[in-house]
Amino acid sequence: MRRAGLAAIPLFLAGCQAGVHLSPERWSDDYERFMEAQLVDRTEAGVATGENGAVTVAYNGLAARAGLEALKQGGNAVDAAMTTALTQVALTAGAPISYFGIMSLVYYDAKTDQVYTMNAEWNTVLGEDDPASIPGGVNLSSPQGIYGTVVSGRTALVGGFMKGVGAAHERFGRLPWEEIFAPAIHVAERGFPISKKMEGYWSGRAADLARLPETKATFLKEDGSAYTEGDVLRQPALAATLRAVAGQGTDYMYGGPWAEKAAAAIQADGGLMTVEDLAAYDVIWDEPLTADLGDGWQIHTNPPPNGGGVAMIEAQRLAATAGLLEEGHWTEAPGALRKALDVTRASLLDFVPPELAASLVGGEFTPAMRVTPEHAERLWNVIETGLPFGNWAEPRPGHSDDVVAIDSDGNIAAITHSINAVLWGKTAIVVDGITIGDPASFQQTQIARLAPGSRLPAPTQTGILFRDGEPVLGFASMGSGLHQRTFQGLLNVMHFGMTVDEAIDTPDFFMPNADPATGQLTFRVPGGQFPREVLDGTGYAYEEIYPEEARFGGEGLWVAIQRDPETGELRAASHNRNNSAAVAW
């Protein structure tokens, strides 16, 4: 396992292409057009085709256009993905994603025909020796509970997003380091209009944003009121910080001036994070976790300590063992939907102690075993018998973002990044424009299993799909229902022959809702898209969720780009329920 990161400005910049300028001033017409589109939510997937390169995102189509500009000016897939991700955070005010959040990357290098993975996910805090007592929690079954319960600096973890941007660029990037920041700095300085959906960010968090002086000055208007639809948010402090990182490298945040301010702000709220925690952070480069899924399909994804890749492969194995595909598509056959719900329910075992999971399954519950067909057979038998928790209720009467980029050479970069908190987090700490969430407020049990300062497993599911030895699909997922969405998206492409946009637009089921009192599950689907006889035929309780509720209703988001290995034609598709976009040329 190799660890690497960008400590300062790369020495190879002198060899980078001259005359590269990614600032939107160079593509102003498209900038205005895509900025206006930010205010409109989609009802179907965005689609783009091309041969020279493509970028797709789950949110913020303007960011995808920034990434496409990186490709047009000679950048590769990593340049495009990092440019896009940096711009996404600025366009969301650091609420669902953050420069101090997390990132996972799966990268296919066409020149070497190799797949690489990078883990820039959470580190736990070195001084936290009693994680079970970290306060806070999130209750996804309650409109109020989703925003968290307790303010505490102990809920902060060490995020690797910016270190990951530096490490990915240092190893694979082609454009000058400072240029990939240009679109994000432009957005922060010039500002962006608040959409109706984003207005809800502020209305739900207004009191929390007013708690600390710096947060209040950054995200509330001069009179202390919340931003509303049509207001323009400018982030001058963020622009200054991004310029500092662009000029001085990621050490500015991991040991430098920003690190000192961040540690002080977290400690002021009772946290234990120190500058040493940030200085000790590094990304993890590793070989991909790979699985043959039959019929020539092979998947490459992030290995442990990431947890989502294991769960993703486990679910595909379970689908085969359960005979799910023999039932038909889950939008048309109640038996298939019932099995699909049961297969994805198995991910609940990620949240119980490994020794308990092993006893339930009747065998090892290690990452290496969980991706095997033998494990799938044992686990499916247990599921059919009935897990002792998380069972379905009987019918009743009557954040994060994704980027996938492919360049003209065939390189593929798929990333997922997140603040891993609900809209800034309850503590809502902001340091020089950069948001610090509260991801430890609901992961106390997982943190308690690790030594202080360790890498915390994340559920992100990002990967590259091969067919007969050729890379044909890059994908990434996000949202509370990312496991369910990835499971469905992959099956739609691999076994039902769908294009990426068809796979996204086909009705999907969300993460189930759990009753906090009984633990019983109710499955959730987009309103009006499943035949009622299919839903009723499962014998399980269900709830229909409409677009305005989807974000907090267990929705998963999955974006992907297909590449025809014979013609080189690219087909990119974005999410179908927000301001996403797919672009290509």
Side-chain angles (χ1 to χ4, degrees):
M1 183 176 294
R2 177 186 169 215
R3 293 177 179 266
L6 182 70
I9 300 175
L11 297 177
F12 62 80
L13 280 185
C16 288
Q17 299 179 18
V20 174
H21 299 288
L22 298 188
S23 172
E25 293 177 357
R26 293 280 297 269
W27 42 284
S28 58
D29 289 346
D30 272 3
Y31 182 84
E32 296 302 328
R33 181 165 60 88
F34 275 83
M35 181 67 85
E36 185 175 350
Q38 289 275 124
L39 304 176
V40 180
D41 285 343
R42 291 188 170 277
T43 56
E44 58 184 26
V47 184
T49 59
E51 296 180 353
N52 298 304
V55 183
T56 185
V57 295
Y59 281 94
N60 302 292
L62 176 58
R65 177 60 184 84
L68 187 67
E69 189 65 22
L71 293 176
K72 287 185 172 183
Q73 295 197 37
N76 61 16
V78 158
D79 294 310
M82 298 305 141
T83 300
T84 299
L86 288 165
T87 308
Q88 284 175 317
V89 183
L91 284 167
T92 58
I97 47 182
S98 171
Y99 297 111
F100 196 56
I102 56 174
M103 176 196 294
S104 59
L105 164 72
V106 181
Y107 182 68
Y108 172 72
D109 182 63
K111 184 177 181 180
T112 62
D113 193 31
Q114 296 292 315
V115 177
Y116 303 85
T117 70
M118 184 189 71
N119 181 313
E121 297 165 357
W122 298 119
N123 264 12
T124 59
V125 175
L126 284 165
E128 182 59 78
D129 58 6
D130 186 19
S133 69
I134 295 174
V138 174
N139 179 3
L140 293 176
S141 67
S142 162
Q144 296 76 32
I146 60 175
Y147 288 101
T149 58
V150 178
V151 168
S152 173
R154 291 177 66 196
T155 63
L157 295 172
V158 184
F161 173 85
M162 194 63 82
K163 201 64 172 287
V165 172
H169 179 270
E170 181 181 41
R171 187 164 186 180
F172 294 112
R174 188 182 297 167
L175 299 183
W177 166 249
E178 64 270 18
E179 280 302 321
I180 69 173
F181 287 82
I185 292 171
H186 186 95
V187 167
E189 288 183 333
R190 303 293 180 87
F192 65 90
I194 302 300
S195 67
K196 182 64 177 177
K197 176 176 285 187
M198 286 198 75
E199 178 184 298
Y201 293 7
W202 270 267
S203 63
R205 274 280 181 233
D208 296 323
L209 295 176
R211 187 179 68 87
L212 296 172
E214 184 170 1
T215 306
K216 181 177 180 179
T218 303
F219 291 131
L220 296 180
K221 291 189 279 190
E222 290 186 1
D223 62 1
S225 62
Y227 281 84
T228 57
E229 183 180 10
D231 290 336
V232 174
L233 175 68
R234 295 180 176 84
Q235 304 169 81
L238 173 60
T241 300
L242 293 178
R243 287 188 186 280
V245 177
Q248 301 177 41
T250 59
D251 272 358
Y252 182 82
M253 286 183 61
Y254 295 86
W258 188 87
E260 295 173 359
K261 291 183 179 180
I266 291 168
Q267 291 171 22
D269 257 328
L272 303 174
M273 193 181 299
T274 67
V275 174
E276 287 70 29
D277 281 298
L278 279 77
Y281 190 94
D282 216 342
V283 309
I284 301 173
W285 289 103
D286 206 349
E287 299 294 324
L289 176 64
T290 303
D292 291 313
L293 301 178
D295 197 25
W297 294 104
Q298 187 182 63
I299 196 165
H300 298 255
T301 186
N302 298 94
N306 174 278
V310 170
M312 175 172 57
I313 294 172
E314 179 184 65
Q316 294 298 318
R317 300 278 196 219
L318 282 170
T321 299
L324 187 155
L325 299 175
E326 300 166 10
E327 302 271 355
H329 200 277
W330 50 88
T331 57
E332 301 173 347
L337 179 57
R338 184 182 177 105
K339 284 184 176 179
L341 292 166
D342 284 339
V343 164
T344 53
R345 177 171 62 111
S347 63
L348 290 172
L349 289 170
D350 284 325
F351 300 96
V352 304
E355 56 274 14
L356 174 58
S359 68
L360 291 173
V361 176
E364 277 187 64
F365 197 76
T366 62
M369 178 56 70
R370 289 178 62 189
V371 298
T372 65
E374 295 78 14
H375 167 80
E377 291 180 9
R378 287 199 303 266
L379 180 53
W380 183 245
N381 287 334
V382 173
I383 291 171
E384 286 191 302
T385 303
L387 289 169
F389 54 84
N391 288 305
W392 299 103
E394 294 182 1
R396 293 182 294 270
H399 205 33
S400 312
D401 215 324
D402 301 322
V403 183
V404 181
I406 299 181
D407 60 34
S408 58
D409 295 325
N411 302 307
I412 305 173
I415 70 171
T416 298
H417 62 113
S418 176
I419 195 173
N420 206 203
V422 178
L423 302 179
W424 294 291
K426 184 71 176 176
T427 309
I429 297 173
V430 177
V431 176
D432 290 348
I434 292 182
T435 54
I436 298 174
D438 60 352
S441 68
F442 59 92
Q443 300 185 84
Q444 294 91 336
T445 300
Q446 292 91 326
I447 295 169
R449 297 175 190 162
L450 305 172
S454 299
R455 189 61 48 92
L456 181 67
T460 55
Q461 296 186 359
T462 309
I464 297 173
L465 196 62
F466 282 60
R467 182 76 184 272
D468 297 327
E470 296 287 342
V472 296
L473 184 80
F475 65 89
S477 60
M478 61 163 287
S480 55
L482 67 86
H483 180 63
Q484 287 79 6
R485 186 61 149 158
T486 303
F487 173 76
Q488 296 168 86
L490 290 176
L491 287 180
N492 281 336
V493 170
M494 292 191 297
H495 299 292
F496 292 98
M498 297 185 190
T499 63
V500 284
D501 46 301
E502 290 171 338
I504 290 170
D505 285 332
T506 296
D508 56 319
F509 56 87
F510 296 176
M511 183 184 77
N513 182 43
D515 186 316
T518 67
Q520 289 188 315
L521 303 177
T522 298
F523 76 88
R524 297 185 279 193
V525 297
Q529 294 192 25
F530 276 76
R532 187 57 57 87
E533 60 270 21
V534 172
L535 299 176
D536 291 338
T538 65
Y540 295 157
Y542 64 87
E543 178 184 5
E544 293 187 281
I545 303 292
Y546 290 86
E548 61 273 13
E549 305 167 325
R551 181 178 182 85
F552 296 126
E555 176 189 40
L557 293 77
W558 187 79
V559 301
I561 303 177
Q562 287 175 302
R563 183 178 187 275
D564 187 316
E566 295 183 2
T567 66
E569 182 179 1
L570 305 174
R571 187 177 186 89
S574 69
H575 188 51
N576 60 349
R577 282 188 287 267
N578 52 37
N579 65 348
S580 67
V583 293
W585 70 303

